[in-house]
């Protein structure tokens, strides 16, 4: 039913009826409702709060104050310290995650005995929560009985224990090391999947032309997976910037704000009950990510035109 013959005698597609449209809408409704309630509503509500004096300890009066919360946040030195730390946190973490993840992907692409076991071991960190990983590394970097200090002492690299998480000079290095360990897995998974999509015929043709392994990598592998690399780098920048879990569970942003990033600064505003300032920080973070994404996509637009 619903099929008709067109002028050429072929059977056309079933007619799209209102009943079918209603059924499709009904199937989509749960997913749309979930995204609307848990994603878009908090985003809109947080944006509105950014323009209100919204303090958890005085909810009897929440007037709109315009840009007052933004001025207060931008006038605070801690915010600018957190912003500088954010650049360091994202840049260094991304560099080493990408470099080590690419190397692991190249190694795991090869067929060798126990390959599946090594893959499972490498991919294991991605199955853990960031907060739990932060707790594990917090114990490992403990200045009194952490395993990192113990190993360094046993190998003679240091003579006295180091307070990794209590020293402003070491704290950011420590959280970046933990973040690199966690994020390498993402790049290894994504890049290995991209490498497996490269046709073997391209390598065979390059080998026939006398290209070395290095030239094959540079002229065959990289051009083929470059669009994927551009996308996963953008995604990872966004995720690292929005990843306060690890820092908050390791240092809480300390000591003396030396490991604060904009998202841990936002959490501190929430914990202090000042939702208006927290909303302003969230709005600024959203604007920062949007500006970076537009710049990055414009800088890599050649990928889309190829």
């Amino acid at each position: 039913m619903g099929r008709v013959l067109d002028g050429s005698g072929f059977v056309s597609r079933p007619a799209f009826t209102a009943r079918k449209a209603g059924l499709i809408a009904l199937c989509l409704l749960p997913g749309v409702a979930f995204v609307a309630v848990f994603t878009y509503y908090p985003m809109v509500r947080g944006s509105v709060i950014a323009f209100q004096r919204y303090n958890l300890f005085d909810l009897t009066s929440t007037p709109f104050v315009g840009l007052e919360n933004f001025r207060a946040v931008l006038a605070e030195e801690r915010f600018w310290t957190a912003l500088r730390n954010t650049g360091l946190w994202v840049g260094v973490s991304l560099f080493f995650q990408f470099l080590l993840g690419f190397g692991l992907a190249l190694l795991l692409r090869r067929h060798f005995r126990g390959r599946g076991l090594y893959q499972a071991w490498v991919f294991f960190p991605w199955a853990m929560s960031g907060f739990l990983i932060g707790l594990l590394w917090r114990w490992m970097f403990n200045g009194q009985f952490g395993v990192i200090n113990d190993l360094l002492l046993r190998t003679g690299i240091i003579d006295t224990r180091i307070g990794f998480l209590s020293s402003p000079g070491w704290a950011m290095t420590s959280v970046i090391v933990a973040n690199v360990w966690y994020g390498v897995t993402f790049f290894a998974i994504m890049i290995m999947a991209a490498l497996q999509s490269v046709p073997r015929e391209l390598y065979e043709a390059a080998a026939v032309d006398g290209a070395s392994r290095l030239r094959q990598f540079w002229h065959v592998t990289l051009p083929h997976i470059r669009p994927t690399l551009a996308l996963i780098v953008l995604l990872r920048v966004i995720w690292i910037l929005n990843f306060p879990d690890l820092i908050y569970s390791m240092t809480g942003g300390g000591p003396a704000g030396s490991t604060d990033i904009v998202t841990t600064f936002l959490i501190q505003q929430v914990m202090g009950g000042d939702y208006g300032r927290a909303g302003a920080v969230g709005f600024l973070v959203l604007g920062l990510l949007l500006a970076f994404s537009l710049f990055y996509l414009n800088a890599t637009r050649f990928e889309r035109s190829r």
Side-chain angles (χ1 to χ4, degrees):
M1 296 181 62
R3 294 180 178 271
V4 296
L5 293 176
D6 59 16
S8 60
F10 291 100
V11 178
S12 64
R13 292 183 179 181
F16 189 76
T17 62
R19 181 179 179 181
K20 291 181 180 179
L23 179 61
I24 293 173
L26 185 63
C27 293
L28 292 174
L29 182 61
V32 172
F34 184 87
V35 172
V37 172
F38 293 101
T39 301
Y40 293 114
Y41 173 74
M43 185 184 301
V44 173
R45 187 70 183 104
S47 299
V48 173
I49 289 176
F51 298 94
Q52 292 180 278
R53 184 179 295 117
Y54 200 102
N55 195 296
L56 186 63
F57 304 106
D58 183 18
L59 296 178
T60 57
S61 177
T62 57
F64 282 90
V65 292
L67 299 177
E68 180 181 313
N69 290 321
F70 293 90
R71 285 193 290 266
V73 169
L74 294 176
E76 195 165 349
E77 180 60 29
R78 286 175 54 212
F79 172 76
W80 294 105
T81 300
L83 192 61
R84 289 191 294 269
N85 289 341
T86 300
L88 181 66
W89 161 255
V90 173
V92 178
S93 297
L94 181 70
F95 175 79
F96 285 104
Q97 286 179 10
F98 179 83
L99 191 66
L100 297 175
F102 208 137
L104 276 175
L106 291 173
L107 290 174
L108 293 175
R109 185 181 59 163
R110 299 182 177 183
H111 294 280
F112 55 88
R113 189 174 182 180
R115 176 170 174 257
L117 182 62
Y118 279 101
Q119 287 180 342
W121 180 76
V122 170
F123 298 160
F124 172 71
W126 201 247
M128 303 174 64
S129 71
F131 193 83
L132 177 59
I133 288 174
L135 292 178
L136 292 175
W137 280 94
R138 180 177 180 178
W139 284 104
M140 292 173 65
F141 277 118
N142 187 278
Q144 298 300 318
F145 45 81
V147 66
I148 304 295
N149 267 310
D150 187 58
L151 289 174
L152 294 177
L153 286 169
R154 289 177 182 272
T155 55
I157 297 177
I158 60 174
D159 298 323
T160 57
R161 294 183 177 274
I162 299 174
F164 287 105
L165 301 181
S166 59
S167 169
W170 282 103
M172 179 57 79
T173 301
S174 302
V175 295
I176 287 177
V177 168
N179 191 35
V180 169
W181 179 83
Y182 176 70
V184 162
T185 298
F186 170 79
F187 280 106
I189 294 173
M190 301 301 292
I191 294 175
M192 191 168 67
L195 290 173
Q196 291 175 347
S197 69
V198 182
R200 296 189 62 84
E201 293 79 6
L202 296 178
Y203 292 111
E204 294 171 357
V208 170
D209 290 338
S212 63
R213 288 292 182 88
L214 181 60
R215 291 182 66 85
Q216 289 179 29
F217 172 77
W218 192 259
H219 294 287
V220 176
T221 304
L222 276 183
H224 194 85
I225 67 173
R226 192 176 291 129
T228 302
L229 295 181
L231 176 61
I232 62 178
V233 165
L234 174 61
L235 292 176
R236 195 64 190 140
V237 166
I238 295 172
W239 288 345
I240 293 175
L241 195 148
N242 284 294
F243 187 52
D245 315 38
L246 191 146
I247 291 180
Y248 205 77
S249 59
M250 287 183 69
T251 65
S258 59
T259 59
D260 256 338
I261 60 174
V262 288
T263 43
T264 58
F265 180 76
L266 186 153
I267 292 175
Q268 291 165 9
Q269 302 303 310
V270 172
M271 298 296 289
D274 197 336
Y275 283 21
R277 288 196 183 187
V281 175
F283 204 93
L284 291 172
V285 171
L286 181 62
L288 180 66
L289 288 175
L290 180 60
F292 171 79
S293 299
L294 292 174
F295 170 79
Y296 182 84
L297 292 173
N298 183 64
T300 58
R301 65 184 183 277
F302 63 90
E303 299 296 350
R304 301 190 298 272
S305 62
R306 293 185 60 174

